[in-house]
Short mmCIF file of all heavy atoms in Angstrom, two decimals:
data_model
loop_
_atom_site.label_atom_id
_atom_site.label_comp_id
_atom_site.label_asym_id
_atom_site.label_seq_id
_atom_site.Cartn_x
_atom_site.Cartn_y
_atom_site.Cartn_z
N SER A 407 20.00 14.41 -20.38
CA SER A 407 21.23 14.91 -19.77
C SER A 407 22.04 13.76 -19.18
O SER A 407 23.28 13.74 -19.30
CB SER A 407 20.90 15.93 -18.69
OG SER A 407 20.20 17.03 -19.23
N ALA A 408 21.35 12.82 -18.53
CA ALA A 408 22.05 11.67 -17.96
C ALA A 408 22.71 10.84 -19.06
O ALA A 408 23.84 10.35 -18.91
CB ALA A 408 21.09 10.82 -17.14
N HIS A 409 21.99 10.67 -20.18
CA HIS A 409 22.56 9.91 -21.29
C HIS A 409 23.79 10.64 -21.87
O HIS A 409 24.82 10.01 -22.15
CB HIS A 409 21.51 9.72 -22.38
CG HIS A 409 22.02 9.00 -23.60
ND1 HIS A 409 22.36 7.67 -23.60
CD2 HIS A 409 22.26 9.45 -24.87
CE1 HIS A 409 22.78 7.32 -24.80
NE2 HIS A 409 22.73 8.38 -25.58
N SER A 410 23.68 11.94 -22.04
CA SER A 410 24.82 12.71 -22.56
C SER A 410 26.00 12.65 -21.60
O SER A 410 27.16 12.54 -22.02
CB SER A 410 24.41 14.17 -22.79
OG SER A 410 23.35 14.25 -23.71
N LEU A 411 25.72 12.70 -20.30
CA LEU A 411 26.79 12.60 -19.32
C LEU A 411 27.45 11.23 -19.36
O LEU A 411 28.69 11.13 -19.23
CB LEU A 411 26.23 12.87 -17.93
CG LEU A 411 27.23 12.84 -16.77
CD1 LEU A 411 28.32 13.88 -16.97
CD2 LEU A 411 26.52 13.06 -15.44
N ALA A 412 26.65 10.17 -19.55
CA ALA A 412 27.23 8.83 -19.64
C ALA A 412 28.14 8.71 -20.86
O ALA A 412 29.23 8.13 -20.79
CB ALA A 412 26.12 7.78 -19.69
N VAL A 413 27.69 9.28 -21.99
CA VAL A 413 28.53 9.24 -23.19
C VAL A 413 29.81 10.04 -22.96
O VAL A 413 30.91 9.62 -23.36
CB VAL A 413 27.74 9.79 -24.40
CG1 VAL A 413 28.64 9.92 -25.62
CG2 VAL A 413 26.56 8.89 -24.72
N ALA A 414 29.69 11.20 -22.32
CA ALA A 414 30.88 12.01 -22.05
C ALA A 414 31.85 11.27 -21.13
O ALA A 414 33.07 11.35 -21.31
CB ALA A 414 30.47 13.34 -21.43
N ARG A 415 31.31 10.55 -20.16
CA ARG A 415 32.19 9.78 -19.28
C ARG A 415 32.88 8.66 -20.03
O ARG A 415 34.05 8.34 -19.75
CB ARG A 415 31.37 9.22 -18.11
CG ARG A 415 30.99 10.27 -17.07
CD ARG A 415 30.13 9.68 -15.98
NE ARG A 415 29.85 10.67 -14.95
CZ ARG A 415 29.02 10.46 -13.93
NH1 ARG A 415 28.37 9.28 -13.83
NH2 ARG A 415 28.81 11.40 -13.03
N GLN A 416 32.19 8.03 -20.98
CA GLN A 416 32.83 7.00 -21.78
C GLN A 416 33.98 7.58 -22.60
O GLN A 416 35.07 6.99 -22.69
CB GLN A 416 31.80 6.34 -22.69
CG GLN A 416 30.79 5.48 -21.95
CD GLN A 416 29.76 4.88 -22.88
OE1 GLN A 416 29.75 5.16 -24.08
NE2 GLN A 416 28.90 4.04 -22.34
N PHE A 417 33.73 8.75 -23.20
CA PHE A 417 34.80 9.40 -23.95
C PHE A 417 35.95 9.80 -23.01
O PHE A 417 37.13 9.69 -23.38
CB PHE A 417 34.27 10.63 -24.68
CG PHE A 417 33.66 10.31 -26.01
CD1 PHE A 417 32.29 10.34 -26.20
CD2 PHE A 417 34.46 9.98 -27.09
CE1 PHE A 417 31.72 10.04 -27.42
CE2 PHE A 417 33.91 9.68 -28.32
CZ PHE A 417 32.54 9.71 -28.50
N GLU A 418 35.62 10.28 -21.82
CA GLU A 418 36.67 10.64 -20.88
C GLU A 418 37.51 9.44 -20.49
O GLU A 418 38.74 9.51 -20.43
CB GLU A 418 36.03 11.27 -19.64
CG GLU A 418 37.05 11.68 -18.58
CD GLU A 418 36.38 12.17 -17.31
OE1 GLU A 418 35.13 12.20 -17.28
OE2 GLU A 418 37.10 12.53 -16.36
N SER A 419 36.81 8.31 -20.24
CA SER A 419 37.55 7.09 -19.91
C SER A 419 38.42 6.64 -21.07
O SER A 419 39.57 6.23 -20.89
CB SER A 419 36.56 5.99 -19.52
OG SER A 419 37.23 4.79 -19.27
N PHE A 420 37.86 6.73 -22.29
CA PHE A 420 38.62 6.32 -23.47
C PHE A 420 39.82 7.25 -23.67
O PHE A 420 40.93 6.80 -23.97
CB PHE A 420 37.72 6.34 -24.69
CG PHE A 420 38.39 5.88 -25.96
CD1 PHE A 420 38.61 4.54 -26.18
CD2 PHE A 420 38.82 6.80 -26.90
CE1 PHE A 420 39.24 4.11 -27.34
CE2 PHE A 420 39.45 6.38 -28.05
CZ PHE A 420 39.66 5.03 -28.28
N ASN A 421 39.61 8.55 -23.47
CA ASN A 421 40.71 9.49 -23.63
C ASN A 421 41.79 9.29 -22.57
O ASN A 421 42.98 9.40 -22.85
CB ASN A 421 40.20 10.92 -23.58
CG ASN A 421 39.31 11.26 -24.77
OD1 ASN A 421 39.44 10.66 -25.84
ND2 ASN A 421 38.42 12.21 -24.60
N ARG A 422 41.34 9.00 -21.35
CA ARG A 422 42.31 8.75 -20.29
C ARG A 422 43.13 7.50 -20.57
O ARG A 422 44.35 7.50 -20.41
CB ARG A 422 41.57 8.60 -18.96
CG ARG A 422 42.48 8.36 -17.77
CD ARG A 422 41.67 8.27 -16.49
NE ARG A 422 42.51 7.96 -15.36
CZ ARG A 422 42.06 7.81 -14.12
NH1 ARG A 422 40.76 7.93 -13.89
NH2 ARG A 422 42.87 7.53 -13.14
N MET A 423 42.46 6.46 -21.03
CA MET A 423 43.18 5.24 -21.38
C MET A 423 44.13 5.49 -22.55
O MET A 423 45.27 5.01 -22.57
CB MET A 423 42.19 4.14 -21.73
CG MET A 423 42.84 2.80 -22.07
SD MET A 423 41.60 1.54 -22.41
CE MET A 423 40.78 2.25 -23.84
N SER A 424 43.69 6.30 -23.52
CA SER A 424 44.55 6.62 -24.65
C SER A 424 45.79 7.38 -24.19
O SER A 424 46.89 7.17 -24.71
CB SER A 424 43.77 7.45 -25.67
OG SER A 424 42.63 6.75 -26.12
N THR A 425 45.60 8.26 -23.19
CA THR A 425 46.75 9.01 -22.67
C THR A 425 47.77 8.07 -22.05
O THR A 425 48.99 8.21 -22.27
CB THR A 425 46.27 10.03 -21.64
OG1 THR A 425 45.27 10.87 -22.23
CG2 THR A 425 47.42 10.88 -21.13
N PHE A 426 47.30 7.10 -21.28
CA PHE A 426 48.22 6.13 -20.69
C PHE A 426 48.92 5.31 -21.76
O PHE A 426 50.12 5.01 -21.65
CB PHE A 426 47.47 5.21 -19.72
CG PHE A 426 47.00 5.91 -18.48
CD1 PHE A 426 45.81 5.54 -17.87
CD2 PHE A 426 47.74 6.93 -17.92
CE1 PHE A 426 45.38 6.20 -16.72
CE2 PHE A 426 47.31 7.59 -16.77
CZ PHE A 426 46.14 7.22 -16.18
N VAL A 427 48.17 4.93 -22.78
CA VAL A 427 48.77 4.13 -23.85
C VAL A 427 49.84 4.93 -24.58
O VAL A 427 50.92 4.42 -24.88
CB VAL A 427 47.66 3.65 -24.82
CG1 VAL A 427 48.27 3.05 -26.08
CG2 VAL A 427 46.76 2.64 -24.14
N VAL A 428 49.54 6.20 -24.87
CA VAL A 428 50.53 7.04 -25.54
C VAL A 428 51.77 7.20 -24.67
O VAL A 428 52.92 7.21 -25.15
CB VAL A 428 49.91 8.41 -25.89
CG1 VAL A 428 50.96 9.37 -26.40
CG2 VAL A 428 48.82 8.23 -26.94
N HIS A 429 51.55 7.32 -23.35
CA HIS A 429 52.70 7.44 -22.45
C HIS A 429 53.55 6.18 -22.49
O HIS A 429 54.80 6.24 -22.50
CB HIS A 429 52.20 7.71 -21.03
CG HIS A 429 53.30 7.85 -20.02
ND1 HIS A 429 53.77 6.77 -19.30
CD2 HIS A 429 54.03 8.92 -19.63
CE1 HIS A 429 54.73 7.19 -18.49
NE2 HIS A 429 54.91 8.48 -18.67
N ASP A 430 52.89 5.01 -22.52
CA ASP A 430 53.66 3.76 -22.61
C ASP A 430 54.40 3.67 -23.94
O ASP A 430 55.54 3.19 -24.00
CB ASP A 430 52.71 2.57 -22.45
CG ASP A 430 52.14 2.49 -21.04
OD1 ASP A 430 52.73 3.10 -20.14
OD2 ASP A 430 51.11 1.81 -20.86
N LEU A 431 53.74 4.11 -25.01
CA LEU A 431 54.41 4.10 -26.31
C LEU A 431 55.64 5.01 -26.30
O LEU A 431 56.67 4.70 -26.92
CB LEU A 431 53.43 4.53 -27.40
CG LEU A 431 52.33 3.52 -27.75
CD1 LEU A 431 51.38 4.12 -28.79
CD2 LEU A 431 52.92 2.22 -28.29
N LYS A 432 55.54 6.15 -25.58
CA LYS A 432 56.69 7.05 -25.49
C LYS A 432 57.87 6.36 -24.81
O LYS A 432 59.02 6.48 -25.24
CB LYS A 432 56.30 8.30 -24.71
CG LYS A 432 57.43 9.30 -24.54
CD LYS A 432 57.05 10.38 -23.56
CE LYS A 432 57.00 9.82 -22.15
NZ LYS A 432 58.34 9.43 -21.65
N ASN A 433 57.56 5.59 -23.74
CA ASN A 433 58.64 4.87 -23.06
C ASN A 433 59.25 3.82 -23.97
O ASN A 433 60.48 3.61 -23.98
CB ASN A 433 58.11 4.22 -21.79
CG ASN A 433 57.75 5.25 -20.73
OD1 ASN A 433 58.24 6.37 -20.76
ND2 ASN A 433 56.87 4.87 -19.82
N LEU A 434 58.40 3.13 -24.73
CA LEU A 434 58.92 2.12 -25.65
C LEU A 434 59.77 2.77 -26.74
O LEU A 434 60.81 2.22 -27.15
CB LEU A 434 57.77 1.33 -26.26
CG LEU A 434 56.95 0.48 -25.27
CD1 LEU A 434 55.79 -0.19 -26.00
CD2 LEU A 434 57.83 -0.58 -24.62
N VAL A 435 59.35 3.92 -27.22
CA VAL A 435 60.14 4.63 -28.23
C VAL A 435 61.50 5.04 -27.65
O VAL A 435 62.54 4.96 -28.34
CB VAL A 435 59.37 5.86 -28.74
CG1 VAL A 435 60.26 6.76 -29.59
CG2 VAL A 435 58.17 5.41 -29.56
N SER A 436 61.50 5.46 -26.38
CA SER A 436 62.78 5.82 -25.74
C SER A 436 63.70 4.61 -25.65
O SER A 436 64.92 4.72 -25.90
CB SER A 436 62.51 6.38 -24.35
OG SER A 436 61.70 7.54 -24.41
N GLN A 437 63.14 3.46 -25.30
CA GLN A 437 63.97 2.25 -25.25
C GLN A 437 64.52 1.88 -26.61
O GLN A 437 65.70 1.53 -26.75
CB GLN A 437 63.14 1.09 -24.68
CG GLN A 437 62.74 1.26 -23.23
CD GLN A 437 61.94 0.09 -22.71
OE1 GLN A 437 61.78 -0.92 -23.42
NE2 GLN A 437 61.43 0.20 -21.50
N LEU A 438 63.68 1.97 -27.64
CA LEU A 438 64.16 1.65 -28.99
C LEU A 438 65.20 2.65 -29.46
O LEU A 438 66.17 2.28 -30.16
CB LEU A 438 62.97 1.61 -29.95
CG LEU A 438 61.96 0.48 -29.74
CD1 LEU A 438 60.79 0.61 -30.73
CD2 LEU A 438 62.62 -0.88 -29.90
N SER A 439 65.05 3.92 -29.09
CA SER A 439 66.04 4.93 -29.47
C SER A 439 67.38 4.63 -28.82
O SER A 439 68.45 4.73 -29.46
CB SER A 439 65.54 6.32 -29.07
OG SER A 439 64.33 6.62 -29.72
N LEU A 440 67.33 4.25 -27.54
CA LEU A 440 68.58 3.91 -26.85
C LEU A 440 69.21 2.66 -27.45
O LEU A 440 70.44 2.56 -27.59
CB LEU A 440 68.30 3.72 -25.37
CG LEU A 440 69.50 3.40 -24.47
CD1 LEU A 440 70.53 4.53 -24.53
CD2 LEU A 440 69.05 3.17 -23.03
N LEU A 441 68.36 1.71 -27.79
CA LEU A 441 68.87 0.48 -28.41
C LEU A 441 69.53 0.79 -29.74
O LEU A 441 70.60 0.24 -30.07
CB LEU A 441 67.70 -0.50 -28.60
CG LEU A 441 68.07 -1.89 -29.14
CD1 LEU A 441 68.95 -2.63 -28.13
CD2 LEU A 441 66.81 -2.69 -29.44
N LEU A 442 68.94 1.66 -30.53
CA LEU A 442 69.53 2.02 -31.81
C LEU A 442 70.84 2.78 -31.63
O LEU A 442 71.81 2.58 -32.39
CB LEU A 442 68.53 2.88 -32.60
CG LEU A 442 68.97 3.31 -34.00
CD1 LEU A 442 69.22 2.09 -34.88
CD2 LEU A 442 67.92 4.22 -34.63
N ALA A 443 70.92 3.62 -30.59
CA ALA A 443 72.17 4.35 -30.34
C ALA A 443 73.29 3.41 -29.93
O ALA A 443 74.46 3.59 -30.33
CB ALA A 443 71.93 5.41 -29.27
N ASN A 444 72.98 2.40 -29.12
CA ASN A 444 74.01 1.44 -28.70
C ASN A 444 74.36 0.45 -29.79
O ASN A 444 75.42 -0.18 -29.74
CB ASN A 444 73.56 0.69 -27.45
CG ASN A 444 73.46 1.60 -26.24
OD1 ASN A 444 74.19 2.60 -26.16
ND2 ASN A 444 72.57 1.26 -25.31
N ALA A 445 73.45 0.29 -30.76
CA ALA A 445 73.72 -0.69 -31.82
C ALA A 445 74.91 -0.28 -32.67
O ALA A 445 75.62 -1.14 -33.22
CB ALA A 445 72.47 -0.85 -32.70
N GLU A 446 75.17 1.02 -32.82
CA GLU A 446 76.31 1.46 -33.62
C GLU A 446 77.63 1.01 -33.00
O GLU A 446 78.60 0.74 -33.70
CB GLU A 446 76.28 2.98 -33.76
CG GLU A 446 75.07 3.53 -34.50
CD GLU A 446 75.08 3.08 -35.97
OE1 GLU A 446 76.18 2.84 -36.50
OE2 GLU A 446 73.98 2.97 -36.55
N ARG A 447 77.68 0.90 -31.68
CA ARG A 447 78.92 0.54 -31.01
C ARG A 447 79.04 -0.95 -30.73
O ARG A 447 80.13 -1.51 -30.70
CB ARG A 447 79.03 1.30 -29.68
CG ARG A 447 79.20 2.80 -29.84
CD ARG A 447 79.30 3.48 -28.49
NE ARG A 447 78.06 3.32 -27.72
CZ ARG A 447 77.96 3.67 -26.44
NH1 ARG A 447 79.01 4.17 -25.79
NH2 ARG A 447 76.80 3.52 -25.81
N HIS A 448 77.88 -1.63 -30.51
CA HIS A 448 77.95 -3.03 -30.07
C HIS A 448 77.26 -3.98 -31.05
O HIS A 448 76.93 -5.10 -30.67
CB HIS A 448 77.27 -3.17 -28.70
CG HIS A 448 77.81 -2.26 -27.66
ND1 HIS A 448 79.05 -2.42 -27.07
CD2 HIS A 448 77.26 -1.13 -27.10
CE1 HIS A 448 79.24 -1.46 -26.18
NE2 HIS A 448 78.16 -0.65 -26.17
N LYS A 449 77.09 -3.58 -32.31
CA LYS A 449 76.36 -4.44 -33.22
C LYS A 449 77.09 -5.73 -33.54
O LYS A 449 76.48 -6.72 -33.95
CB LYS A 449 76.04 -3.69 -34.50
CG LYS A 449 77.27 -3.18 -35.25
CD LYS A 449 76.84 -2.39 -36.47
CE LYS A 449 78.07 -1.84 -37.22
NZ LYS A 449 77.66 -1.04 -38.40
N ALA A 450 78.42 -5.75 -33.36
CA ALA A 450 79.18 -6.98 -33.64
C ALA A 450 79.24 -7.90 -32.44
O ALA A 450 79.75 -9.02 -32.54
CB ALA A 450 80.59 -6.62 -34.10
N ASN A 451 78.73 -7.48 -31.30
CA ASN A 451 78.76 -8.28 -30.08
C ASN A 451 77.58 -9.26 -30.08
O ASN A 451 76.42 -8.85 -30.09
CB ASN A 451 78.69 -7.36 -28.87
CG ASN A 451 78.92 -8.12 -27.57
OD1 ASN A 451 78.94 -9.34 -27.54
ND2 ASN A 451 79.08 -7.36 -26.48
N PRO A 452 77.85 -10.57 -30.06
CA PRO A 452 76.73 -11.54 -30.08
C PRO A 452 75.81 -11.40 -28.86
O PRO A 452 74.60 -11.56 -28.98
CB PRO A 452 77.46 -12.89 -30.08
CG PRO A 452 78.81 -12.59 -30.64
CD PRO A 452 79.16 -11.23 -30.15
N ALA A 453 76.39 -11.08 -27.70
CA ALA A 453 75.54 -10.92 -26.51
C ALA A 453 74.60 -9.73 -26.68
O ALA A 453 73.41 -9.78 -26.30
CB ALA A 453 76.41 -10.75 -25.27
N PHE A 454 75.12 -8.64 -27.27
CA PHE A 454 74.27 -7.49 -27.51
C PHE A 454 73.16 -7.81 -28.51
O PHE A 454 72.01 -7.37 -28.38
CB PHE A 454 75.12 -6.32 -28.02
CG PHE A 454 74.31 -5.12 -28.43
CD1 PHE A 454 73.81 -4.24 -27.49
CD2 PHE A 454 74.01 -4.90 -29.77
CE1 PHE A 454 73.05 -3.15 -27.87
CE2 PHE A 454 73.25 -3.81 -30.15
CZ PHE A 454 72.77 -2.93 -29.19
N GLN A 455 73.52 -8.60 -29.53
CA GLN A 455 72.52 -8.97 -30.53
C GLN A 455 71.40 -9.81 -29.90
O GLN A 455 70.21 -9.62 -30.20
CB GLN A 455 73.19 -9.75 -31.66
CG GLN A 455 74.20 -8.93 -32.48
CD GLN A 455 74.93 -9.76 -33.51
OE1 GLN A 455 74.65 -10.97 -33.63
NE2 GLN A 455 75.85 -9.15 -34.24
N GLU A 456 71.80 -10.71 -28.99
CA GLU A 456 70.78 -11.53 -28.33
C GLU A 456 69.86 -10.66 -27.46
O GLU A 456 68.64 -10.82 -27.46
CB GLU A 456 71.46 -12.61 -27.49
CG GLU A 456 70.49 -13.57 -26.82
CD GLU A 456 71.21 -14.65 -26.04
OE1 GLU A 456 72.45 -14.70 -26.12
OE2 GLU A 456 70.51 -15.42 -25.35
N ASP A 457 70.50 -9.73 -26.68
CA ASP A 457 69.69 -8.83 -25.86
C ASP A 457 68.80 -7.94 -26.72
O ASP A 457 67.65 -7.63 -26.37
CB ASP A 457 70.60 -7.95 -25.00
CG ASP A 457 71.26 -8.76 -23.89
OD1 ASP A 457 70.76 -9.87 -23.60
OD2 ASP A 457 72.26 -8.28 -23.33
N MET A 458 69.32 -7.50 -27.87
CA MET A 458 68.55 -6.63 -28.76
C MET A 458 67.31 -7.36 -29.28
O MET A 458 66.20 -6.80 -29.31
CB MET A 458 69.43 -6.17 -29.92
CG MET A 458 68.72 -5.25 -30.90
SD MET A 458 69.77 -4.77 -32.28
CE MET A 458 69.98 -6.35 -33.08
N LEU A 459 67.49 -8.63 -29.71
CA LEU A 459 66.35 -9.39 -30.21
C LEU A 459 65.30 -9.62 -29.12
O LEU A 459 64.09 -9.52 -29.35
CB LEU A 459 66.83 -10.73 -30.80
CG LEU A 459 67.68 -10.64 -32.07
CD1 LEU A 459 68.15 -12.02 -32.48
CD2 LEU A 459 66.88 -10.00 -33.21
#
Side-chain angles (χ1 to χ4, degrees):
S407 300
H409 177 70
S410 301
L411 181 60
V413 173
R415 286 177 176 173
Q416 290 178 356
F417 275 106
E418 180 186 359
S419 177
F420 182 76
N421 293 334
R422 181 178 177 181
M423 182 178 62
S424 302
T425 304
F426 291 146
V427 169
V428 172
H429 180 268
D430 292 341
L431 288 176
K432 179 190 71 68
N433 291 338
L434 295 176
V435 169
S436 300
Q437 293 180 7
L438 293 177
S439 300
L440 182 60
L441 185 65
L442 182 60
N444 293 331
E446 297 294 333
R447 293 180 297 171
H448 306 288
K449 59 183 179 181
N451 188 350
F454 174 79
Q455 295 175 2
E456 183 178 354
D457 289 342
M458 180 182 66
L459 293 177

